[in-house]
Amino acid sequence: MDDVVRIFDTTLRDGEQSPGYGMTAEQKLILARQLDELGVDVIEAGFPAASPEDLEGVRQIARAVKGATIATLARCNDGDIEACVRGLEPADKPRLHLFFGTSQLHLDAKTGLNKKDALDLIVRSVRLGKKLFPEVEFSPEDATRTEESFLLEVVQAVVDEGVDVVNIPDTVGYTVPEEYFKRIRLLKEKIRNIDNVIISTHCHNDLGLAVANSLAAVQAGARQVECTINGIGERAGNASLEEIVTTLRIRGDALPFTTNINHEKIFETSQLLSALTGVGAQPNKAIVGRNAFAHESGVHQQGWLKDRRTYEIMTPESVGAPPAQLVLGRHSGRRALAARLTELGHPMTGSQLNHVYDNFLKACEVGKALDDDELIQLALDNRPPPEPPYTINLVQASAGSVKPATATVQLTRDGRTFAACALGDGPVEAAYTAVDTITGYSCKVVEYELRAVGTGRETEGEVSVRVQIAEKTFSGRAVDTDIVAASVKAYLSAINKALALRERIKPPQVAVAEKAPQIISQ
Ligand code: KIV
Ligand code: ZN
C-alpha cells in the first residue's frame, strides 16, 4: 500500500452548505483556483442538483481548474446524476460522488426503503455512474452508525461494481478513533478486492474528534481524507485540512505518510476563505488562527526568545503565516515591554520603565493585549512632550435649535496664534472642523464619549475621544465645565500625541488667519 494520503477538499460543498459560508459562483471559482495551487488532489465543487447556481458554479470550476480532480455530489437518482454530467462536462478529471444513507435511522426516516431495495438502488446508481464517469466514489452516509453486516454488504456490492473510492462518512461526528480504526480495518480484512479501491474518510466534528478520527482511519489503511479549509462544514464542521496535513508533516515519525500539499500556501488559503465569506477562523484555531503563533506569558516569551523550539513545534513561515509575535498583555514581563518600546522608538529604563509598566498592567486589567499604537500612547502619556505643539487660547461656540452651529477656535503653536471659524451640525462638530482647518489634518473621530463628572450645578463634562490620523489612532481625554471646550481639549490632546510621535510632521498646509478669525463654510 502506498503512503500518499490524497486530500479531498469539500470546502465548496460540505463547507459552503453550512450557515454563514454561502458563496457566489465567482467566489467559488476564486477559492477553487487557490485550492488547486494549494495542491489538493480532489476539489468537491458542489451539488449540481441543488440549484441552477450550484450547477453553474461547478461548470465554471470544471472549465477553469485543470490540476485537481473535480468531484460533484449526487443522490442515488437519475436526475442528480444527470446534473453532475452537465456540471462536470468541461472537466478534464471528473469524479461522480454518490451517497445514500445506510443506517437504519436514515433508511427509516429519509427513504423508507428496506435494505434490499436500498442495496438495489445503490448498485443501479453506481453502475450508471461507471458508464458515465471515469471515476466514481460511493459514500454510505452515516456509515459509522450503520449495522456492520449491512455496511459490509453495501461496500462489497459497490466494489464489485468497480467503484474507485469508498468513503466511510462519520456523518454526525459520533465515532471515536479506536472504533473508526476498527471499522476501516474490518473493510480491509473482509471486502474482496478492497485493494483495488481507495478507502476514504469523511469526519464531522460534533465531538471535536474529526481530525483524530481521520488520522486513525489513515493508520488503518484509508488513503483519502475529506476535509475543509478552517474546518468549516455542517454543524461543528468537518475535519480541518490544515490540521490533517500539518500533523502528517510534523509527526511523520508517528504517522509515516505524505500528501501533495504545498504547505506554504495554507495560511493564504485560510485567509482567502475568510475574506470571501466574511467569517474568520477562531483566534486559537490550530495552524491558521490569529493566536496560533502568538506568545503572551512572560515565561513563554523568555523561553521562546532564547530558543524558539521551547514553545514552537513548527515555524509560522512553514505554513505561510506571518512571523510569530510576542503579544504584550497582562502576562508579559517588564523586559518584553521594554524591548517592544525600544523597537517603537521609546526606549526607557529604571523608574520610568517601572512607571510605564505599572500603567501597562492597569491598561491590561480588562484582559486585553495592547497593540503598538496603545503602547506608544502609554509611553507618551508618561513622558508628555515638554511643550505640546498646540495650546488652546479660545473656544467659542454658538448653537441652538436653529442650525448650523458655529464655533471659533484660537490655537497657539511656536509662539504664533491661529484662528478659524467653522459651521457644523452641532457645536462640537463645528469646533472640530475649525481645529482641522488650523492644524491642516483631516482627522476621523472613531470614538467619542461624553460623561458627567460630579453632580448638580458643579457637574463637569469629561470627554474621551479616539481620533484616526493617517491610519493610526490616538486618544485624548479632558474635563471642563463647558462640554465644547472639553471636547476641543480632548481632540487637541490626541492631535498633539500624533504630532509628538511624528517629529518631522509638517506645519499646517492650510492657510488660516493669524489672529483674525476666518469663516470656513461646510
Ligand atoms: O457527512 C456526510 O455523510 C456527507 C456525505 C454526503 C459524504 O457529507
Ligand atoms: Zn459531510
Side-chain angles (χ1 to χ4, degrees):
M1 202 190 327
D2 67 13
D3 61 4
V4 180
V5 175
R6 284 89 179 158
I7 299 299
F8 176 115
D9 181 277
T10 183
T11 308
L12 292 168
R13 200 277 298 167
D14 216 331
E16 202 261 352
Q17 76 192 35
S18 58
Y21 291 99
M23 283 177 254
T24 62
E26 198 187 0
Q27 290 173 323
K28 286 184 187 174
L29 179 59
I30 295 172
L31 190 64
R33 288 189 204 271
Q34 176 70 25
L35 291 169
D36 201 24
E37 280 187 36
L38 178 65
V40 307
D41 300 279
V42 185
I43 295 173
E44 188 164 44
F47 185 10
S51 69
E53 293 75 39
D54 256 59
L55 175 67
E56 184 45 35
V58 165
R59 276 186 73 82
Q60 288 187 19
I61 293 170
R63 202 175 296 124
V65 176
K66 296 298 173 192
T69 294
I70 309 297
T72 51
L73 188 67
R75 289 163 293 194
C76 286
N77 68 58
D78 294 357
D80 277 24
I81 297 173
E82 273 159 30
C84 289
V85 171
R86 270 181 281 140
L88 290 176
E89 184 262 319
D92 282 359
K93 291 189 260 171
R95 178 187 293 180
L96 174 69
H97 180 188
L98 287 165
F99 77 103
F100 191 91
T102 49
S103 65
Q104 197 56 52
L105 199 57
H106 278 229
L107 288 171
D108 292 343
K110 287 168 59 186
T111 51
L113 292 185
N114 62 34
K115 288 184 176 136
K116 182 184 172 308
D117 290 345
L119 190 59
D120 287 349
L121 185 62
I122 291 168
V123 167
R124 186 185 164 281
S125 303
V126 171
R127 199 169 287 166
L128 175 62
K130 281 299 291 179
K131 284 196 189 119
L132 300 169
F133 292 90
E135 268 184 23
V136 176
E137 168 170 339
F138 178 74
S139 291
E141 192 190 12
D142 206 14
T144 52
R145 293 192 301 172
T146 297
E147 205 183 304
E148 198 173 278
S149 57
F150 188 51
L151 182 68
L152 286 170
E153 209 178 333
V154 169
V155 173
Q156 188 62 69
V158 297
V159 169
D160 290 346
E161 289 302 321
V163 85
D164 302 276
V165 180
V166 176
N167 183 36
I168 304 299
D170 183 29
T171 303
V172 287
Y174 179 73
T175 198
V176 293
E178 201 184 343
E179 180 185 78
Y180 197 46
F181 177 98
K182 283 188 187 147
R183 203 144 258 231
I184 304 293
R185 262 290 148 87
L186 188 74
L187 299 180
K188 295 282 293 174
E189 284 160 13
K190 299 268 177 188
I191 303 295
R192 282 184 313 281
N193 299 324
I194 191 70
D195 291 339
N196 296 345
V197 306
I198 292 177
I199 300 181
S200 171
T201 83
H202 178 110
C203 296
H204 279 267
N205 207 28
D206 298 65
L207 294 174
L209 293 172
V211 169
N213 288 335
S214 305
L215 293 173
V218 169
Q219 286 180 303
R223 288 294 177 270
Q224 173 178 286
V225 174
E226 303 198 356
C227 46
T228 58
I229 302 297
N230 294 353
I232 70 167
E234 285 284 5
R235 306 179 308 281
N238 287 62
S240 136
L241 182 149
E242 52 280 359
E243 293 175 25
I244 299 274
V245 301
T246 308
T247 304
L248 293 178
R249 177 173 70 85
I250 297 293
R251 293 309 311 274
D253 55 335
L255 297 155
F257 308 101
T258 58
T259 69
N260 294 317
I261 291 294
N262 298 317
H263 289 263
E264 319 71 54
K265 300 239 169 235
I266 289 177
F267 186 76
E268 69 182 46
T269 311
S270 157
Q271 293 284 304
L272 178 65
L273 174 66
S274 304
L276 291 172
T277 58
V279 191
Q282 78 217 39
N284 63 330
K285 169 82 180 62
I287 324 291
V288 293
R290 137 162 70 81
N291 292 345
F293 298 98
H295 308 271
E296 182 177 329
S297 108
V299 173
H300 285 210
Q301 290 181 344
Q302 273 194 35
W304 182 85
L305 283 168
K306 288 196 179 119
D307 184 339
R308 292 181 171 217
R309 290 170 304 172
T310 50
Y311 292 101
E312 206 171 78
I313 58 165
M314 69 195 115
T315 64
E317 296 78 22
S318 68
V319 296
Q325 311 160 16
L326 296 187
V327 175
L328 290 168
R330 71 197 159 93
H331 303 293
S332 303
R334 214 170 297 250
R335 219 181 286 176
L337 176 68
R340 189 74 197 127
L341 286 174
T342 304
E343 277 166 25
L344 293 170
H346 295 273
M348 52 184 74
T349 50
S351 60
Q352 195 182 30
L353 174 62
N354 290 346
H355 191 52
V356 172
Y357 185 65
D358 287 348
N359 287 344
F360 162 76
L361 290 182
K362 274 187 214 134
C364 296
E365 256 164 24
V366 275
K368 74 180 192 79
L370 299 198
D371 65 22
D372 286 350
D373 281 349
E374 288 165 322
L375 291 174
I376 289 169
Q377 285 194 37
L378 214 56
L380 292 172
D381 282 346
N382 285 275
R383 298 187 345 171
E387 287 255 322
Y390 284 105
T391 51
I392 300 175
N393 279 356
L394 172 144
V395 176
Q396 188 65 47
S398 136
S401 52
V402 180
K403 293 203 171 150
T406 62
T408 304
V409 174
Q410 232 183 59
L411 305 178
T412 300
R413 183 180 185 178
D414 298 334
R416 293 166 70 197
T417 302
F418 300 90
C421 293
L423 307 178
D425 261 357
V428 173
E429 193 201 344
Y432 281 8
T433 306
V435 171
D436 289 351
T437 307
I438 296 172
T439 62
Y441 288 106
S442 169
C443 308
K444 185 171 165 205
V445 177
V446 285
E447 249 174 67
Y448 175 94
E449 199 185 316
L450 170 64
R451 261 185 354 108
V453 182
T455 49
R457 284 170 180 255
E458 274 80 56
T459 303
E460 292 184 299
E462 182 191 274
V463 173
S464 303
V465 68
R466 272 170 75 81
V467 175
Q468 191 178 331
I469 302 170
E471 303 202 340
K472 285 199 175 288
T473 49
F474 299 88
S475 59
R477 203 183 62 83
V479 181
D480 200 292
T481 45
D482 181 279
I483 57 169
V484 182
S487 301
V488 173
K489 281 182 188 170
Y491 190 60
L492 205 60
S493 145
I495 293 174
N496 280 337
K497 284 178 188 167
L499 289 169
L501 179 63
R502 281 154 231 193
E503 281 162 14
R504 287 185 292 121
I505 209 109
K506 292 196 189 94
Q509 301 297 303
V510 180
V512 287
E514 214 164 315
K515 289 226 173 100
Q518 185 193 2
I519 305 285
I520 312 289
S521 61
Q522 278 185 307

